[in-house]
Amino acid sequence: MTPLVFALPENETIAASLASRIGADRGAAEIRRFPDGESYVRLDTPVAGHEVALVCTLDRPDVKLLPLLFLARLCKDLGAARVGLVAPYLAYMRQDRRFRPGEAITSTYFAEMLSRSVDWMVTIDPHLHRRSSLKEIYPIPARALSAAPLVSRWIRERIREPLLIGPDAESAQWVAAVAAGAGAPYVVLEKERHGDRDVSVSVPQIDRWRHHTPVLVDDIISTGRTMTETARHLLAAGMTAPICVAIHAVFAEKAYTEMLAAGIAEVVTCNTIPHETNRIDVAELLAPAIREIVA
Amino acid sequence: MTPLVFALPENETIAASLASRIGADRGAAEIRRFPDGESYVRLDTPVAGHEVALVCTLDRPDVKLLPLLFLARLCKDLGAARVGLVAPYLAYMRQDRRFRPGEAITSTYFAEMLSRSVDWMVTIDPHLHRRSSLKEIYPIPARALSAAPLVSRWIRERIREPLLIGPDAESAQWVAAVAAGAGAPYVVLEKERHGDRDVSVSVPQIDRWRHHTPVLVDDIISTGRTMTETARHLLAAGMTAPICVAIHAVFAEKAYTEMLAAGIAEVVTCNTIPHETNRIDVAELLAPAIREIVA
């Protein structure tokens, strides 16, 4: 039977691209909210006996989770062979231990919840800085793909004499990989975090790179403060307006407008989270991994 | 050990009242959202060995569920003896079968999710019109209390010559019970629903009750359209501006301001959902039921 790909709201574009790449059919579902805030979920396409992939990126996860779990449960209820989740962006990857006593280890709890509802999961560059693999927290088959090669290619093809800049030590390994793929030099900055929103950055010896195009790269843009601070330092030091390239366009609050206001020349992201800055299509990365599972 | 009562955000008032009535301690927890929309949950009060009651009313449930499930899971993780849920308003009680093919039976799915996370539940007047008991959908011990006696008492003590008016056939049984407790006459209207928001109402023979104070009673005020339409009919027929009394103040969208604009004299609700119309305190109803479980 042909595999079926269903899009949760706002995931239609990537779901369509993915379905056509793997030769699956698009499934139709009605997913909406009642005036009182409850969700309504209905399948229009029969799923009995089919392999099902639900496409739902998980930024702003709290409000998205229940419709997703309802849809997964409904597919099982109506006889789907297996139900998997394609989450181009995976939430709750930060809190993977108790930094303070009494804290909820939300990355584990969230993984438990998803794993009770779906049979497999595929995601892109989850924030695995203290874990080496999704297997440590996800009991179901869970595969993490890397968008670094796509980011490298975009930089290589579009930017003249790029200098890749990693915003903090955490990003070092990832920036090194992107730089290697792009055949470009890179530096890693030091970041100090003072709270959820406040970040200060120091930029070591930038004189050496004055004739390069600075390309700030990171896995996620959330508040954008790190990118904004770094851009201000680079501009103050007389460098060209930097380009920011990231995988996940989370853009909390006014992050995007603040980044542009700070003098960043361009922001470029992968389409793991729909946003006007999406320039790099991850469907070609997802397709072979999903095909391998459902074909 | 003393039982512990934790309030999810916006449930502090009723949790405090409940804790003091049953001789439990208030537990402290930090529950907040990161700028990217993820939730942070931390217990300040040790729970090991304690009976724990989490107070979380479930209007607008989608955004509330994840912090609640995280907190329940955390209490278990940190050794609570049992974790229960006090949900003065319980969500997802409408979709208890497939009205159309392919629909998610969300009342069952939601019950499954909650039941995996908590050991018991207490709620008030769930919308059980096609089910006779919560036991049919909740595998954990789940108790439904009735606020009808509190509503009856409020009407008996505050309204002179009330005529209770039930907005539709579904409400008949409940209105009859409230009327009996209030020692007042009642009529039940006929309602026609054309969509999520559109409702028309016909009022049979109101001349007989022209000297009474019309009191519209219902279990939930959601869009408020039923109450608004009914009030317009009563006013057009020359009756006094009606008072609306309900248990659950869901008030979807602009329901409350529209009700007042339609000429309703006063809206009175129980405090199962915090709202400025709350006049009837359900803590005295909840306390004995919770004490029985945790004491």
Side-chain angles (χ1 to χ4, degrees):
Chain A
M1 275 194 231
T2 318
L4 293 171
V5 175
F6 287 88
L8 275 284
E10 299 169 46
N11 295 270
E12 292 79 6
T13 309
I14 197 161
S17 170
L18 190 58
S20 88
R21 280 169 190 270
I22 67 172
D25 287 338
R26 286 292 306 280
E30 182 183 355
I31 299 166
R32 60 184 173 86
R33 276 214 163 83
F34 288 109
D36 65 1
E38 296 189 3
S39 286
Y40 173 86
V41 176
R42 188 177 58 80
L43 285 179
D44 251 331
T45 309
V47 294
H50 289 264
E51 291 282 347
V52 169
L54 307 180
V55 183
C56 184
T57 201
L58 287 170
D59 63 303
R60 285 92 185 158
D62 292 18
V63 77
K64 292 180 176 179
L65 187 68
L66 204 43
L68 171 62
L69 297 186
F70 282 158
L71 184 59
R73 179 68 178 78
L74 176 60
C75 288
K76 297 275 194 148
D77 210 0
L78 297 178
R82 280 191 310 173
V83 180
L85 170 63
V86 181
Y89 176 73
L90 180 59
Y92 288 106
M93 291 305 297
R94 276 186 308 209
Q95 188 87 39
D96 52 8
R97 64 182 183 88
R98 287 197 175 95
F99 305 99
R100 293 177 60 192
E103 283 182 342
I105 305 174
T106 50
S107 81
T108 302
Y109 304 170
F110 190 71
E112 288 172 356
M113 265 180 246
L114 283 184
S115 301
R116 277 194 291 254
S117 295
V118 298
D119 300 305
W120 54 265
M121 184 180 66
V122 171
T123 188
I124 294 173
D125 292 285
H127 207 59
L128 276 168
H129 53 283
R130 276 175 300 269
R131 307 276 189 166
S132 61
S133 158
L134 281 177
K135 287 194 180 68
E136 293 177 35
I137 44 175
Y138 277 80
I140 53 169
R143 185 157 171 205
L145 307 171
S146 171
L150 300 182
V151 173
S152 293
R153 188 177 69 194
W154 191 90
I155 293 171
R156 199 172 60 236
E157 291 176 355
R158 311 289 177 111
I159 314 285
R160 212 171 50 87
E161 277 202 85
L163 168 69
L164 271 58
I165 300 176
D168 53 27
E170 263 181 24
S171 66
Q173 214 181 344
W174 191 76
V175 174
V178 173
Y186 74 98
V187 296
V188 171
L189 311 179
E190 268 143 51
K191 176 164 87 167
E192 230 176 302
R193 182 171 285 280
H194 310 292
D196 290 351
R197 289 172 180 78
D198 294 332
V199 168
S200 71
V201 171
S202 68
V203 186
Q205 47 155 10
I206 55 173
D207 284 347
R208 195 177 152 195
W209 309 107
R210 209 169 284 284
H211 299 290
H212 284 69
T213 304
V215 181
L216 305 181
V217 291
D218 207 349
D219 56 346
I220 302 178
I221 303 175
S222 181
T223 63
R225 297 295 155 98
T226 309
M227 293 281 202
T228 302
E229 279 303 304
T230 311
R232 285 205 184 100
H233 280 276
L234 298 174
L235 289 166
M239 286 195 83
T240 319
I243 294 169
C244 293
V245 183
I247 300 175
H248 303 300
V250 173
F251 290 118
E253 299 161 353
K254 298 173 179 196
Y256 181 48
T257 50
E258 284 169 5
M259 288 176 74
L260 295 182
I264 290 168
E266 191 184 357
V267 181
V268 169
T269 60
C270 299
N271 60 346
T272 57
I273 299 170
H275 191 262
E276 59 182 289
T277 56
N278 294 166
R279 298 284 179 278
I280 304 168
D281 185 8
V282 295
E284 69 173 282
L285 177 64
L286 290 167
I290 312 300
R291 192 189 296 114
E292 205 172 279
I293 297 167
V294 302
Chain B
M1 278 198 225
T2 318
L4 292 170
V5 175
F6 287 88
L8 275 284
E10 299 168 44
N11 295 270
E12 291 79 7
T13 309
I14 197 162
S17 170
L18 190 59
S20 88
R21 281 170 189 268
I22 68 172
D25 287 338
R26 285 291 307 279
E30 182 183 356
I31 299 166
R32 61 186 172 85
R33 279 219 159 82
F34 288 110
D36 66 1
E38 295 190 4
S39 286
Y40 174 87
V41 176
R42 188 176 58 78
L43 285 179
D44 251 330
T45 310
V47 295
H50 289 265
E51 291 281 347
V52 169
L54 307 179
V55 183
C56 184
T57 200
L58 287 170
D59 63 302
R60 285 91 186 157
D62 292 19
V63 78
K64 293 179 175 178
L65 187 68
L66 204 43
L68 171 62
L69 297 187
F70 282 158
L71 184 59
R73 179 69 179 75
L74 177 60
C75 288
K76 295 278 193 143
D77 209 2
L78 297 177
R82 279 191 309 172
V83 180
L85 169 62
V86 181
Y89 176 72
L90 181 59
Y92 287 107
M93 292 304 296
R94 275 186 310 207
Q95 187 86 41
D96 53 9
R97 63 182 185 90
R98 286 198 177 96
F99 305 99
R100 294 177 58 192
E103 282 183 341
I105 304 174
T106 51
S107 80
T108 302
Y109 304 170
F110 190 73
E112 288 172 357
M113 268 182 241
L114 284 183
S115 301
R116 277 195 291 254
S117 295
V118 298
D119 300 304
W120 54 265
M121 185 180 65
V122 171
T123 189
I124 295 173
D125 292 286
H127 207 61
L128 276 168
H129 54 282
R130 276 175 299 268
R131 306 276 190 167
S132 61
S133 158
L134 282 178
K135 285 194 182 68
E136 293 177 36
I137 44 174
Y138 278 80
I140 54 169
R143 187 157 170 205
L145 307 171
S146 171
L150 301 181
V151 173
S152 293
R153 188 177 69 196
W154 191 91
I155 292 171
R156 198 172 61 236
E157 290 174 356
R158 309 290 177 110
I159 313 287
R160 211 171 49 87
E161 277 202 85
L163 168 70
L164 271 56
I165 301 176
D168 53 27
E170 265 180 25
S171 66
Q173 215 180 343
W174 190 75
V175 174
V178 172
Y186 74 97
V187 296
V188 171
L189 309 179
E190 268 143 51
K191 177 164 86 168
E192 230 177 300
R193 182 172 285 279
H194 309 291
D196 291 353
R197 290 172 180 77
D198 294 331
V199 167
S200 71
V201 171
S202 68
V203 187
Q205 48 152 9
I206 55 172
D207 283 347
R208 194 177 152 194
W209 309 105
R210 210 170 285 285
H211 299 289
H212 285 69
T213 305
V215 182
L216 304 181
V217 291
D218 207 350
D219 55 347
I220 303 179
I221 302 176
S222 182
T223 63
R225 296 294 155 98
T226 309
M227 292 281 203
T228 301
E229 278 303 302
T230 311
R232 285 204 183 103
H233 278 277
L234 298 175
L235 289 165
M239 287 197 80
T240 320
I243 294 169
C244 293
V245 183
I247 299 176
H248 302 301
V250 173
F251 289 119
E253 300 161 354
K254 299 175 177 188
Y256 182 48
T257 50
E258 285 170 4
M259 288 175 74
L260 296 182
I264 289 168
E266 192 184 358
V267 181
V268 169
T269 60
C270 299
N271 60 347
T272 57
I273 299 170
H275 191 263
E276 59 182 291
T277 55
N278 293 165
R279 298 284 178 278
I280 304 170
D281 185 7
V282 294
E284 70 172 280
L285 177 64
L286 291 167
I290 312 298
R291 192 189 295 114
E292 207 172 279
I293 297 168
V294 301

